[in-house]
Amino acid sequence: MHTEHNISLQPFHFFASEELASYFTVLHKNEDVSDAIEWCHQQNLPFLILGSGSNVVFTKNFPGLVAKMEINGIKKLNESATEVILEVGAGENWHHFVSYCVQKGWGGLENLSLIPGTVGASPIQNIGAYGVEVQECIQQVTAFDTTTQQWIQLSNKECNFGYRTSLFKVAVKRYIITHVQFVLQKQPQLKMDYGAIRDMLHEKGIKHPNLESLSQAIIQIRTQKLPDPKILGNAGSFFKNPIVSKTQLEQLQQQFPNIIAYPISDDSYKIAAGWLIEACGWKGMKKGNVGCYEKQALVIVSYGIRSGREVYEFSEEIIHSVAQKFKIQLEREVNIY
Ligand SMILES: Cc1cc2nc3c(=O)[nH]c(=O)nc-3n(C[C@H](O)[C@H](O)[C@H](O)COP(=O)(O)OP(=O)(O)OC[C@H]3O[C@@H](n4cnc5c(N)ncnc54)[C@H](O)[C@@H]3O)c2cc1C
């Protein structure tokens, strides 16, 4: 196994802060994964798997091995009149994979166009956007279980997917995902429930959308709404949308009639965290080298931070002020190291 010593993590994550990894390696194949874990056990060092680094904040140097996932490849396992089953390497770029499916006419993932990251990270927080979650297309996940040192295959049910969570997010660092199997539809039902999608299609004069035009509409919406990480370092939505009961929502509505909430079951509602943050006056606010994005309060951006600690402390202040005003405890969606 080839490792490098005292490597700056700056090029490997979107906030591009300057923390170091004691050791760094790249994983190209399954054996590299088991070798890396064995090496960490022998050296008594912690490990961290990195995809494209779009959902992490480093607040200090990492005192162990950072292993960058680069197991690639897209393999067709099966095809019927209605479905295609693909096995995809964890290191494949997520958006490239979605575009590949869209070009082939295989539907299911088009609403997740332009989400940054790797295929292997997609099941971890069950990535989602515009009414679709990746779990809807995942059949199976292959992973190395670092506790038992065994290779395992987990069915969709075993992955225990939920809103921005899964078995992999809960059992932090236990599983290293190397491949994901997806089931895609050859006669897909397009999902266009979101007003923003309908508005964009209308604006573009598209009356009969297909996979390609839907994907393009979503790319355009996201480009307008979210900061380009190459210009302003960020990790997308920094916080999860909090979930409250119907009674809690009704109490909040008495005091804050404009609060934005979406029903997710008979008794639970998702509150727009961006609305809460904006109502506390954070939208567009800048402190030192960190700020709350001017077009979307849920996104924390870097104006040239040196340490992720600055981002972390800024997020603490937001959590504190939302808790004071609304008695709601925001949870971070990003992974803090
Ligand atoms: C501009 C922007 C927009 C975004 N929009 C969305 C959105 O709409 N919806 C959404 O859900 N997310 C969104 N995100 C968040 C991000 O894109 C996803 O979380 C993505 O899946 C992270 O992929 P990554 O490869 O960059 O993971 P990393 O940031 O590299 O890693 C994230 C976590 O997963 C772990 N990990 C990564 N790969 C593996 C693996 N193979 N095995 C085990 N553990 C692993 C890491 O250790 C870390 O804890 C956005 C981010 C940005 C910057």
Side-chain angles (χ1 to χ4, degrees), residues 18-200:
E18 296 173 7
E19 288 77 12
L20 303 178
S22 299
Y23 297 92
F24 183 86
T25 193
V26 178
L27 308 170
H28 295 287
K29 52 187 189 305
N30 282 10
E31 297 83 80
D32 296 344
V33 173
S34 39
D35 288 354
I37 295 307
E38 199 185 319
W39 186 85
C40 286
H41 278 297
Q42 282 165 3
Q43 312 280 326
N44 200 18
L45 285 173
F47 71 91
L48 173 65
I49 304 296
L50 210 49
S52 74
S54 67
N55 205 25
V56 289
V57 174
F58 289 102
T59 58
K60 50 185 177 302
N61 292 341
F62 188 76
L65 177 71
V66 171
K68 182 156 165 44
M69 176 54 72
E70 287 194 8
I71 296 177
N72 291 327
I74 302 179
K75 198 160 110 192
K76 195 195 284 177
L77 297 184
N78 207 350
E79 181 166 4
S80 70
T82 55
E83 285 179 356
V84 180
I85 299 177
L86 302 175
E87 183 172 75
V88 188
E92 286 287 340
N93 175 282
W94 175 259
H95 178 63
H96 291 172
F97 169 56
V98 173
S99 305
Y100 170 85
C101 297
V102 167
Q103 272 165 26
K104 294 277 186 188
W106 300 332
L109 300 174
E110 54 286 351
N111 289 39
L112 307 181
S113 297
L114 211 64
I115 296 184
T118 52
V119 165
S122 67
I124 293 174
Q125 69 158 11
N126 181 22
I127 58 168
Y130 299 103
V132 172
E133 289 183 343
V134 71
Q135 62 154 324
E136 292 161 45
C137 294
I138 291 181
Q139 170 161 286
Q140 184 178 285
V141 172
T142 303
F144 184 72
D145 180 342
T146 60
T147 303
T148 61
Q149 310 272 319
Q150 302 277 321
W151 285 96
I152 51 163
Q153 260 135 19
L154 294 154
S155 68
N156 179 298
K157 197 158 182 274
E158 287 167 324
C159 294
N160 219 0
F161 290 117
Y163 165 61
R164 294 296 180 278
T165 191
S166 69
L167 168 74
F168 314 108
K169 183 107 183 178
V170 175
V172 186
K173 286 183 154 195
R174 174 166 174 179
Y175 302 101
I176 300 177
I177 297 173
T178 56
H179 294 87
V180 184
Q181 273 183 27
F182 295 90
V183 187
L184 299 158
Q185 303 304 321
K186 291 167 98 174
Q187 284 104 37
Q189 286 279 325
L190 303 186
K191 292 204 176 153
M192 293 173 293
D193 305 339
Y194 269 63
I197 299 180
R198 288 197 301 270
D199 292 349
M200 180 56 77

